[in-house]
Amino acid sequence: MKLKNTIIIFGMALLSFSCAENPFTGKKTMALVPNSQLFPTAFAQYDQFLTENKVVTGTKDAEMITRVGQRIAVAAERWLNANGHQGYLKDYKWEYNLVDDKTVNAWCMPGGKIVFYTGILPIAKGETGVAAIMGHEVAHALANHGQQRMSAAYLQQGVALAGNIAIKDEQSRNAFNQYYGIGSQVGVMLPFSRAHETEADKIGLYLMAVAGYNPDEAAELWKRMKANSGGQAPPEILSTHPSNDSRIANLKALAPQAKAEAKKFGVTSFR
Ligand SMILES: [Zn+2]
Protein backbone atom coordinates (compact mmCIF):
# COMPACT_ATOMS: atom_id res chain seq x y z
CA MET A 1 0.00 0.00 0.00
CA LYS A 2 1.41 3.32 -1.07
CA LEU A 3 -0.73 5.31 1.26
CA LYS A 4 2.06 7.49 2.56
CA ASN A 5 2.92 8.53 -0.95
CA THR A 6 -0.63 9.20 -1.82
CA ILE A 7 -1.50 11.57 0.94
CA ILE A 8 -0.41 15.11 0.94
CA ILE A 9 0.10 16.45 4.39
CA PHE A 10 -0.73 20.02 5.11
CA GLY A 11 1.12 21.33 8.15
CA MET A 12 1.95 18.93 10.91
CA ALA A 13 1.30 21.09 13.93
CA LEU A 14 -2.24 20.19 14.79
CA LEU A 15 -4.14 17.01 14.51
CA SER A 16 -7.61 18.10 13.72
CA PHE A 17 -9.47 15.43 15.60
CA SER A 18 -13.16 15.38 16.07
CA CYS A 19 -15.90 12.96 16.81
CA ALA A 20 -19.13 12.96 14.93
CA GLU A 21 -22.28 11.22 16.00
CA ASN A 22 -23.91 8.77 13.68
CA PRO A 23 -27.56 9.87 13.86
CA PHE A 24 -28.82 6.42 12.93
CA THR A 25 -27.04 4.54 15.67
CA GLY A 26 -26.22 7.26 18.19
CA LYS A 27 -22.63 5.97 18.20
CA LYS A 28 -19.71 8.35 18.28
CA THR A 29 -17.60 7.92 15.21
CA MET A 30 -14.15 9.05 14.30
CA ALA A 31 -13.96 11.95 11.91
CA LEU A 32 -10.51 13.41 11.35
CA VAL A 33 -11.77 15.74 8.73
CA PRO A 34 -14.92 17.77 9.38
CA ASN A 35 -17.64 17.76 6.74
CA SER A 36 -17.08 21.43 6.01
CA GLN A 37 -13.63 20.52 4.70
CA LEU A 38 -14.36 17.08 3.35
CA PHE A 39 -17.39 18.01 1.27
CA PRO A 40 -15.75 20.60 -1.01
CA THR A 41 -13.00 18.08 -1.73
CA ALA A 42 -15.60 15.45 -2.53
CA PHE A 43 -17.55 17.84 -4.73
CA ALA A 44 -14.44 18.67 -6.74
CA GLN A 45 -13.67 14.96 -7.04
CA TYR A 46 -17.16 14.26 -8.26
CA ASP A 47 -17.05 16.97 -10.91
CA GLN A 48 -13.71 15.63 -12.06
CA PHE A 49 -15.15 12.12 -12.29
CA LEU A 50 -18.05 13.36 -14.40
CA THR A 51 -15.76 15.09 -16.87
CA GLU A 52 -13.72 11.90 -17.26
CA ASN A 53 -16.70 9.56 -17.74
CA LYS A 54 -19.64 9.32 -20.06
CA VAL A 55 -22.68 10.71 -18.27
CA VAL A 56 -26.01 9.48 -19.64
CA THR A 57 -28.66 12.18 -19.93
CA GLY A 58 -32.20 12.42 -21.24
CA THR A 59 -32.97 8.70 -21.17
CA LYS A 60 -35.65 6.92 -19.15
CA ASP A 61 -32.92 5.26 -17.08
CA ALA A 62 -31.19 8.55 -16.33
CA GLU A 63 -34.50 10.08 -15.30
CA MET A 64 -35.21 7.10 -13.07
CA ILE A 65 -31.88 7.49 -11.25
CA THR A 66 -32.69 11.14 -10.55
CA ARG A 67 -36.24 10.36 -9.46
CA VAL A 68 -35.18 7.60 -7.07
CA GLY A 69 -32.32 9.72 -5.74
CA GLN A 70 -34.62 12.63 -4.99
CA ARG A 71 -37.09 10.38 -3.20
CA ILE A 72 -34.35 8.79 -1.09
CA ALA A 73 -32.96 12.24 -0.23
CA VAL A 74 -36.40 13.44 0.86
CA ALA A 75 -36.81 10.28 2.95
CA ALA A 76 -33.44 10.87 4.61
CA GLU A 77 -34.37 14.43 5.44
CA ARG A 78 -37.77 13.43 6.85
CA TRP A 79 -36.24 10.65 8.91
CA LEU A 80 -33.47 12.84 10.32
CA ASN A 81 -35.84 15.71 11.14
CA ALA A 82 -38.28 13.37 12.86
CA ASN A 83 -35.46 11.96 14.96
CA GLY A 84 -34.07 15.25 16.24
CA HIS A 85 -31.30 15.73 13.69
CA GLN A 86 -32.49 18.89 11.97
CA GLY A 87 -29.73 20.51 9.98
CA TYR A 88 -27.73 17.30 9.56
CA LEU A 89 -27.96 17.61 5.79
CA LYS A 90 -27.34 21.34 5.57
CA ASP A 91 -24.02 20.98 3.75
CA TYR A 92 -25.33 18.25 1.44
CA LYS A 93 -25.64 19.02 -2.25
CA TRP A 94 -27.46 16.03 -3.66
CA GLU A 95 -26.69 15.05 -7.22
CA TYR A 96 -27.50 11.87 -9.12
CA ASN A 97 -25.84 10.75 -12.31
CA LEU A 98 -25.92 7.65 -14.49
CA VAL A 99 -22.61 6.81 -16.14
CA ASP A 100 -22.21 4.59 -19.20
CA ASP A 101 -19.92 1.88 -17.86
CA LYS A 102 -20.27 -1.92 -17.72
CA THR A 103 -18.97 -2.05 -14.16
CA VAL A 104 -21.47 -3.39 -11.63
CA ASN A 105 -21.24 -0.53 -9.17
CA ALA A 106 -22.83 2.51 -7.63
CA TRP A 107 -21.56 4.88 -4.97
CA CYS A 108 -22.34 7.98 -2.97
CA MET A 109 -19.59 10.41 -2.05
CA PRO A 110 -19.59 12.55 1.09
CA GLY A 111 -22.16 15.31 0.76
CA GLY A 112 -24.61 13.32 -1.37
CA LYS A 113 -22.89 12.97 -4.74
CA ILE A 114 -24.17 9.80 -6.34
CA VAL A 115 -23.17 7.77 -9.38
CA PHE A 116 -24.84 4.70 -10.83
CA TYR A 117 -23.09 2.71 -13.55
CA THR A 118 -25.28 1.35 -16.36
CA GLY A 119 -23.74 -2.08 -15.60
CA ILE A 120 -25.74 -2.38 -12.39
CA LEU A 121 -29.13 -1.66 -13.98
CA PRO A 122 -29.85 -5.19 -15.29
CA ILE A 123 -29.30 -6.51 -11.76
CA ALA A 124 -31.40 -3.74 -10.19
CA LYS A 125 -34.10 -4.85 -12.60
CA GLY A 126 -36.27 -1.77 -12.18
CA GLU A 127 -36.95 1.20 -9.98
CA THR A 128 -37.43 -0.62 -6.66
CA GLY A 129 -34.10 -2.41 -7.08
CA VAL A 130 -32.44 0.90 -7.86
CA ALA A 131 -34.00 2.28 -4.68
CA ALA A 132 -32.50 -0.57 -2.63
CA ILE A 133 -29.03 0.17 -4.01
CA MET A 134 -29.50 3.93 -3.67
CA GLY A 135 -30.67 3.57 -0.06
CA HIS A 136 -27.62 1.46 0.77
CA GLU A 137 -25.09 3.80 -0.83
CA VAL A 138 -26.69 6.93 0.64
CA ALA A 139 -26.65 5.19 4.04
CA HIS A 140 -22.85 4.74 3.82
CA ALA A 141 -22.53 8.47 3.13
CA LEU A 142 -24.94 9.58 5.86
CA ALA A 143 -23.16 7.42 8.41
CA ASN A 144 -19.78 8.79 7.26
CA HIS A 145 -18.41 5.30 6.69
CA GLY A 146 -15.95 6.42 4.06
CA GLN A 147 -14.67 9.12 6.33
CA GLN A 148 -14.21 6.70 9.19
CA ARG A 149 -12.33 4.34 6.92
CA MET A 150 -10.12 7.17 5.76
CA SER A 151 -9.54 8.42 9.31
CA ALA A 152 -8.69 4.93 10.54
CA ALA A 153 -6.17 4.49 7.76
CA TYR A 154 -4.53 7.80 8.51
CA LEU A 155 -4.16 6.89 12.16
CA GLN A 156 -2.85 3.46 11.28
CA GLN A 157 -0.22 5.04 9.10
CA GLY A 158 0.70 7.46 11.84
CA VAL A 159 -0.09 10.32 9.57
CA ALA A 160 -0.94 13.55 11.24
CA LEU A 161 -3.46 15.24 9.09
CA ALA A 162 -3.95 18.85 9.88
CA GLY A 163 -6.83 20.77 8.55
CA ASN A 164 -7.32 19.50 5.10
CA ILE A 165 -6.99 16.80 2.51
CA ALA A 166 -5.42 17.95 -0.67
CA ILE A 167 -6.44 16.22 -3.82
CA LYS A 168 -3.96 17.65 -6.23
CA ASP A 169 -2.34 14.87 -8.10
CA GLU A 170 -3.56 11.63 -9.51
CA GLN A 171 -2.14 9.44 -6.77
CA SER A 172 -3.79 11.29 -3.95
CA ARG A 173 -7.00 11.36 -5.92
CA ASN A 174 -6.86 7.61 -6.31
CA ALA A 175 -6.40 7.21 -2.56
CA PHE A 176 -9.48 9.30 -1.92
CA ASN A 177 -11.47 7.26 -4.42
CA GLN A 178 -10.44 4.00 -2.78
CA TYR A 179 -11.95 5.05 0.49
CA TYR A 180 -15.24 5.98 -1.08
CA GLY A 181 -15.74 2.96 -3.27
CA ILE A 182 -15.14 4.63 -6.60
CA GLY A 183 -13.47 1.53 -7.82
CA SER A 184 -13.57 1.18 -11.55
CA GLN A 185 -11.00 3.82 -12.32
CA VAL A 186 -8.61 2.78 -9.66
CA GLY A 187 -8.77 -0.96 -9.95
CA VAL A 188 -8.63 -1.49 -6.22
CA MET A 189 -11.40 -0.76 -3.82
CA LEU A 190 -11.12 -1.21 -0.12
CA PRO A 191 -14.12 -3.11 1.17
CA PHE A 192 -16.25 -1.59 3.85
CA SER A 193 -16.16 -3.52 7.10
CA ARG A 194 -18.81 -6.06 7.93
CA ALA A 195 -20.27 -3.76 10.58
CA HIS A 196 -20.49 -0.87 8.13
CA GLU A 197 -22.18 -3.03 5.52
CA THR A 198 -24.76 -4.33 7.99
CA GLU A 199 -25.42 -0.80 9.19
CA ALA A 200 -25.81 0.51 5.63
CA ASP A 201 -28.19 -2.36 4.81
CA LYS A 202 -30.44 -1.46 7.73
CA ILE A 203 -30.40 2.32 7.21
CA GLY A 204 -30.84 1.81 3.47
CA LEU A 205 -33.85 -0.40 4.03
CA TYR A 206 -35.49 2.27 6.21
CA LEU A 207 -34.77 4.96 3.65
CA MET A 208 -36.25 3.01 0.75
CA ALA A 209 -39.36 2.17 2.78
CA VAL A 210 -39.91 5.77 3.91
CA ALA A 211 -39.45 6.76 0.24
CA GLY A 212 -42.32 4.41 -0.63
CA TYR A 213 -40.33 1.54 -2.13
CA ASN A 214 -41.07 -2.01 -1.04
CA PRO A 215 -38.26 -3.09 1.34
CA ASP A 216 -38.99 -6.75 0.55
CA GLU A 217 -37.22 -6.10 -2.75
CA ALA A 218 -33.83 -5.54 -1.08
CA ALA A 219 -33.32 -9.21 -0.28
CA GLU A 220 -34.36 -10.09 -3.84
CA LEU A 221 -31.84 -7.61 -5.18
CA TRP A 222 -28.97 -9.15 -3.24
CA LYS A 223 -30.02 -12.59 -4.44
CA ARG A 224 -29.58 -11.33 -7.99
CA MET A 225 -26.23 -9.81 -7.03
CA LYS A 226 -25.17 -13.18 -5.71
CA ALA A 227 -26.34 -14.95 -8.85
CA ASN A 228 -24.54 -12.37 -10.95
CA SER A 229 -21.24 -13.01 -9.22
CA GLY A 230 -21.53 -16.61 -10.45
CA GLY A 231 -18.84 -17.93 -8.15
CA GLN A 232 -16.29 -15.63 -9.75
CA ALA A 233 -14.98 -12.36 -8.48
CA PRO A 234 -17.99 -10.59 -6.99
CA PRO A 235 -19.17 -7.28 -8.39
CA GLU A 236 -17.39 -4.35 -6.84
CA ILE A 237 -20.43 -3.27 -4.93
CA LEU A 238 -20.33 -6.58 -3.08
CA SER A 239 -17.59 -6.47 -0.56
CA THR A 240 -16.31 -9.82 0.61
CA HIS A 241 -18.28 -9.62 3.81
CA PRO A 242 -20.85 -10.12 5.13
CA SER A 243 -21.60 -13.27 3.18
CA ASN A 244 -24.40 -12.89 0.69
CA ASP A 245 -26.52 -15.40 2.52
CA SER A 246 -26.36 -13.72 5.89
CA ARG A 247 -26.97 -10.37 4.26
CA ILE A 248 -30.07 -11.68 2.46
CA ALA A 249 -31.39 -13.28 5.66
CA ASN A 250 -30.75 -10.08 7.58
CA LEU A 251 -32.57 -7.94 5.01
CA LYS A 252 -35.54 -10.29 5.03
CA ALA A 253 -35.73 -10.15 8.82
CA LEU A 254 -35.54 -6.35 8.86
CA ALA A 255 -38.10 -5.66 6.12
CA PRO A 256 -41.14 -5.68 8.46
CA GLN A 257 -39.32 -3.22 10.74
CA ALA A 258 -38.65 -0.95 7.78
CA LYS A 259 -42.34 -1.04 6.86
CA ALA A 260 -43.27 -0.17 10.44
CA GLU A 261 -40.82 2.74 10.30
CA ALA A 262 -42.39 3.95 7.05
CA LYS A 263 -45.84 3.82 8.63
CA LYS A 264 -44.72 6.48 11.12
CA PHE A 265 -44.36 8.76 8.09
CA GLY A 266 -47.75 7.84 6.70
CA VAL A 267 -46.32 5.49 4.08
CA THR A 268 -48.38 2.31 4.02
CA SER A 269 -48.29 1.21 0.40
CA PHE A 270 -45.14 0.46 -1.53
CA ARG A 271 -44.26 0.46 -5.18
ZN1 LIG B 1 -21.95 -1.14 1.06
Side-chain angles (χ1 to χ4, degrees), residues 136-137 140 192 197 247:
H136 178 92
E137 295 305 323
H140 276 308
F192 282 107
E197 283 303 324
R247 158 173 258 156

Side-chain angles (χ1 to χ4, degrees), residues 82-95:
N83 288 279
H85 300 285
Q86 291 87 351
Y88 188 82
L89 298 172
K90 71 175 162 40
D91 296 321
Y92 275 65
K93 292 199 167 68
W94 297 101
E95 192 174 342

